[in-house]
Amino acid sequence: MGGDKIKKDRRQKREDYRAAMRQEGISELPRKKFYRQRAHANPFSDHQLIYPPHPDQMDWSSLYPDYVIDEPHHQESPPSSEVPPDNSELAPLKPKRISKDVEVADIGCGFGGLLVALAPTMPDKLILGLEIRVSVTQFVEDRIKALRAQNQDARLYRNVGVLRANTMKFLPNFFRKGQLTKVFICFPDPHFKARKHKQRIVSTTLNSEYAYVLRPGGIVYTITDVLDLHEWIVQHFDAHPSFERIGEEEQEADPCVGIMRTETEEGKKVERHKGQKYVALYRRLEDPAW
Amino acid sequence: MILPFHLVKVCGDIVFAAQGCDIHSFSSSLRHISTWKYPALKADESNGASKETQDSPAPEEPPAKRRRVEPGAGSETVTNGEEAASENGRPKSKKAAQYDVPANERPFVQGLYATTDGRHLIAITGSDKTIWVFEHDGAGNLKQLSQRAMPKRPCSLTLTRDNRTILSADKFGDVYALPLLPSTTATPSSAPATQPPSRSSTPSTPASAPFKPQATELTVHTKRNLKALENQKISLDRKARQEQASQRPQFEHTLLLGHVSMLTAICVGTAPARTTSGDAAAGQEREQEGSPKVREYIITADRDEHIRVSRSMPQAHVIEGFCLGHEDFVSRLCVAPGGREELLISGGGDDYLFVWDWVRGQLLGKAGVLEHVKGVAGEEGATKVAVTRVFPCRWEGGVGVFVVVERVPALFRYELLKDNTLQHRETIPIPGNPLDVDALGTSGISPRLLVAAYPSTSSEGSSSPSLIALDKEEAGWRQTPVEDLSAGGGYNIGEIELQKILYSTESLRKLSDFD
Ligand SMILES: C[S@@+](CC[C@H](N)C(=O)[O-])C[C@H]1O[C@@H](n2cnc3c(N)ncnc32)[C@H](O)[C@@H]1O
């Protein structure tokens, strides 16, 4: 009974804290302990996910308000539009448009260390973190909000956002074919048991989806501290005809690799324990003639 | 109770219909020809000391009694011997044991497919995840050629255009390619990727080798990972044993593509080859002499509203696009016939059917379903629909599309117009709830329809026929019941249990959708 009460108090505290953080104009960085959540969310179950039926129906304006295009009148739909313009019944939602597309995605972004470190290094690109755990996503949201407020004058962090999503199922709901130039998969959950390998975020069949959202020439960045998982990742991308491994020299010259090693939360943990980090980069190839 | 016919497939001018675990054949004039029975069940009935009966869960029982083991219980001996045996360790009445077989573990025929020449019939049985290929002599007699148990339960399958490869879409979201006729020379290999051109197959993963923990305390650092490593070590022994038990299938099968979501439908479509800058390379890939330059695609649908278009082999790893717009599960796909192959029609848990230009991933239009269901069930009687069949055929010089909605006693006829809109034409009342529909090509302007239906019971207790032929005549639809096969016999299954098997589509809906 007493334990229950303590639990309840703690939950209440957490909720109060998070509610306070959601208020406008808060520039204090959120504290992780109020956002902890069970380590794993089952990627196979339904959850209560929100996602657009089609990328054209995704409303990006609340994530990247600085990039919203003011459209006094209903302008002509872009040529990429999937719906004939005269058939209004088929386009139930016409979200506010933004001036550029998300180009960089961090799959399973966790607490957002990579996003926040990348944002200032590529100010002209929109970066999106995708995370399946609700409160972890909320933490990143609050973190971005606070950073934007703290850097009001320099207008930093306007190009980074986060979404709750199960990337194993819904990537094509958010991104069109060839929309992305960089996909980060940093310290993914290892799922050691063979029975759980189907839950791994890298697999031959999922790699086809990464290839779909990446444009030719785009890069998948992977890093893990688990040798077995690294070998799994390498084996599965090597075996996939849409990807080719990027050589060590080019890899080490890529500034994103350094950031990935040192700025992710997991990367920092491994650093503290003086552990190994295994990196592999893959380039999206052109599709073969057909 | 007497089981209804629940699947119907036309093969040349022969009609095959599945009833429980059996497949019956009928002539075009609907006379019964022959019956294929699920083998284990036959063994039970023949009372012989076959392998199956020896393995049966209750060897201490007198054979005389086992003669009347119901098909459901028979399936136990095939698929679930181990569990059943432990159950039988406890004293239990025979009757109870029969009822104990969970509905979803009966090896009901779950899908029937035919090659275009009608020379082969393919069946899926559910609980044992098995794909059966039969040779059909063209006269209604089947010869079983192969029986292949898949790693996961196949939900839907289709054949490539050359009719040589089965594409099986399963509950775990994967699509496997299997040769229709397994080559006799092929030595069973556990590595599915045998043909070099198809690199899209699974590379052999650690799962196929005895798994050793490769991470050590030195390489695993976070608390979470350390804990996982510990668990992994503990479960290693058990896992090794498990893995030996659940070995990969010992026949040629290639993983082509996968969704992380239950697959519900698969079909192939063809489109003219694109003339791109890569034409030089295209020339190298030996174009067959004289064959028209068309490309084949694999179209897959899942429970999470996706319709995916992938290239066919050997480039099945390339996703060409998606047809996105459904807001509930997709359960049925069909490519339009009659030279309209660029059109795809899909249906599922939404109130509409969708018409797509699948090559471009463009939604062309929608056609209401719920509004017409309301016409049958009443305004209050229907609030949502689960489309279970979207069956296209040549109809009165155009393209007809017949639609079945779960638990609705009608067949809905649509017409695919020249401008690609799908127009509801009529609602045909059926005495029971249709479960499947196919068409027998005749010389007439519209084919004869065959409908398998879940019979309704009248107040006097008589049942409506379960297999019905429908002919469109000037005066309207003439319905001819197909001879009753009481030979199919009594079946020890409750009404509720049976309905759970035969009306399974609505269960694809996500719970969160209900509120
Ligand atoms: C070990 S953490 C790594 C976090 C971060 N990338 C880092 O390096 O610090 C893996 C994260 O992936 C998330 N994740 C796992 N499966 C996911 C999925 N299907 N979709 C989105 N996120 C997922 C988990 O919730 C978890 O936060």
Side-chain angles (χ1 to χ4, degrees), chain A residues 39 41 43 106-111 130-133 136 165-168 186-189 201 264-267, chain B residues 224:
Chain A
D106 183 6
I107 307 260
C109 67
F111 290 95
L130 298 136
E131 169 57 51
I132 198 169
R133 289 184 291 167
V136 176
N166 178 356
T167 62
M168 290 172 74
C186 300
F187 300 96
D189 296 324
I201 209 141
T264 51
E265 273 76 12
E266 291 295 318
Chain B
R224 195 157 136 207

Side-chain angles (χ1 to χ4, degrees), chain B residues 116 159-164 268-270 292 294 296 341:
Chain B
T116 26
L159 286 153
T160 51
R161 230 168 54 104
D162 62 10
N163 278 293
R164 287 161 71 171
V268 297
T270 53
V294 295
E296 185 170 280
E341 275 229 29

Side-chain angles (χ1 to χ4, degrees), chain B residues 372-395:
Chain B
H372 303 295
V373 169
K374 283 181 190 290
V376 177
E379 194 64 31
E380 265 86 61
T383 53
K384 53 179 189 271
V385 299
V387 170
T388 59
R389 290 292 183 273
V390 179
F391 171 68
C393 62
R394 305 286 195 108
W395 195 263

Side-chain angles (χ1 to χ4, degrees), chain A residues 38-40 43-49 51-55 57 80-84 87 89-92 133 166 168-175 177 187-195 197-198 200 203-212 224-229 231-232 235-243 266 269-270 273-276 278 284 287-290, chain B residues 172-174 199-207 211-215 218-226 228-229 231-232 235 239 242-243 255-261 273-276 278-279 281-282 285 295-297 302-306 308 311-327 352 360-366 509-512 515:
Chain A
R38 206 152 42 95
H40 294 291
F44 301 127
S45 52
D46 291 340
H47 305 287
Q48 298 265 327
L49 292 166
Y51 50 87
H54 188 288
Q57 278 156 256
S80 70
S81 172
E82 305 287 316
V83 164
N87 208 336
E89 186 224 354
L90 298 182
R133 289 184 291 167
N166 178 356
M168 290 172 74
K169 285 188 176 185
F170 299 109
L171 271 192
N173 293 67
F174 294 101
F175 306 120
K177 185 178 186 174
F187 300 96
D189 296 324
H191 297 295
F192 287 112
K193 298 179 189 171
R195 191 168 46 81
H197 283 175
K198 179 90 188 170
R200 285 185 167 172
S203 69
T204 324
T205 54
L206 271 173
N207 289 359
S208 289
E209 294 200 28
Y210 301 135
Y212 170 79
T224 172
D225 57 321
V226 180
L227 181 58
D228 171 41
L229 181 59
E231 285 170 353
W232 169 281
Q235 193 179 21
H236 284 79
F237 273 107
D238 277 351
H240 199 290
S242 298
F243 291 98
E266 291 295 318
K269 254 191 243 173
V270 178
H273 292 86
K274 306 239 176 337
Q276 288 285 316
Y278 305 97
R284 164 72 156 103
D287 287 332
W290 178 243
Chain B
F172 262 49
D174 291 325
R199 282 186 62 211
S200 62
S201 46
T202 2
S204 49
T205 61
F211 183 73
K212 276 191 246 122
Q214 290 179 20
L218 288 174
T219 57
V220 182
H221 300 281
T222 62
K223 234 197 281 170
R224 195 157 136 207
N225 287 355
L226 272 175
L229 180 63
N231 291 340
Q232 173 203 12
S235 69
K239 182 163 21 116
Q242 269 175 9
E243 256 167 17
L255 176 62
L256 292 186
L257 60 102
H259 301 212
V260 181
S261 176
R274 252 168 270 156
T275 45
T276 52
D279 249 3
E285 145 215 352
R295 291 287 177 258
E296 185 170 280
Y297 296 83
D302 71 30
R303 185 178 162 251
D304 289 299
E305 308 97 29
H306 300 114
R308 181 193 289 191
R311 293 180 183 179
S312 190
M313 295 169 288
Q315 291 190 32
H317 63 276
V318 177
I319 300 175
E320 281 292 340
F322 287 86
C323 297
L324 298 177
H326 274 281
E327 296 188 29
Y352 302 88
R360 286 175 194 78
Q362 256 184 35
L363 178 59
L364 299 177
K366 298 188 197 177
R509 202 181 299 273
K510 292 175 192 171
L511 287 173
S512 54
D515 42 10

Side-chain angles (χ1 to χ4, degrees), chain A residues 177-191:
Chain A
K177 185 178 186 174
Q179 179 175 335
L180 302 180
T181 54
K182 293 180 196 299
V183 166
F184 289 87
I185 303 175
C186 300
F187 300 96
D189 296 324
H191 297 295

Side-chain angles (χ1 to χ4, degrees), chain A residues 43-256:
Chain A
F44 301 127
S45 52
D46 291 340
H47 305 287
Q48 298 265 327
L49 292 166
I50 297 169
Y51 50 87
H54 188 288
D56 283 356
Q57 278 156 256
M58 177 64 196
D59 187 351
W60 297 103
S61 63
S62 58
L63 287 175
Y64 306 101
D66 278 32
Y67 294 82
V68 171
I69 303 174
D70 280 323
E71 283 172 299
H73 278 295
H74 193 70
Q75 276 179 355
E76 250 201 292
S77 35
S80 70
S81 172
E82 305 287 316
V83 164
D86 59 318
N87 208 336
S88 54
E89 186 224 354
L90 298 182
L93 263 167
K94 256 273 152 47
K96 277 191 206 156
R97 287 173 56 214
I98 54 173
S99 59
K100 47 176 77 181
D101 288 336
V102 171
E103 247 187 65
V104 178
D106 183 6
I107 307 260
C109 67
F111 290 95
L114 179 79
L115 296 173
V116 160
L118 281 180
T121 71
M122 36 178 95
D124 58 335
K125 301 255 188 300
L126 294 190
I127 306 168
L128 181 71
L130 298 136
E131 169 57 51
I132 198 169
R133 289 184 291 167
V134 182
S135 59
V136 176
T137 312
Q138 251 172 41
F139 173 88
V140 181
E141 263 173 41
D142 295 347
R143 185 175 183 180
I144 293 171
K145 200 155 38 150
L147 284 171
R148 285 181 184 173
Q150 285 175 6
N151 297 274
Q152 188 79 35
D153 297 337
R155 308 191 66 76
L156 291 177
Y157 303 103
R158 307 299 169 99
N159 62 329
V160 62
V162 70
L163 268 181
R164 179 180 183 224
N166 178 356
T167 62
M168 290 172 74
K169 285 188 176 185
F170 299 109
L171 271 192
N173 293 67
F174 294 101
F175 306 120
R176 281 179 276 103
K177 185 178 186 174
Q179 179 175 335
L180 302 180
T181 54
K182 293 180 196 299
V183 166
F184 289 87
I185 303 175
C186 300
F187 300 96
D189 296 324
H191 297 295
F192 287 112
K193 298 179 189 171
R195 191 168 46 81
K196 290 206 158 183
H197 283 175
K198 179 90 188 170
Q199 287 201 25
R200 285 185 167 172
I201 209 141
V202 168
S203 69
T204 324
T205 54
L206 271 173
N207 289 359
S208 289
E209 294 200 28
Y210 301 135
Y212 170 79
V213 294
L214 272 170
R215 77 187 59 157
I219 299 175
V220 180
Y221 295 79
T222 74
I223 183 168
T224 172
D225 57 321
V226 180
L227 181 58
D228 171 41
L229 181 59
H230 171 70
E231 285 170 353
W232 169 281
I233 291 172
V234 166
Q235 193 179 21
H236 284 79
F237 273 107
D238 277 351
H240 199 290
S242 298
F243 291 98
E244 120 194 311
R245 179 117 188 226
I246 289 177
E248 183 126 7
E249 202 175 319
E250 187 183 340
Q251 172 183 306
E252 294 310 314
D254 189 326
C256 293

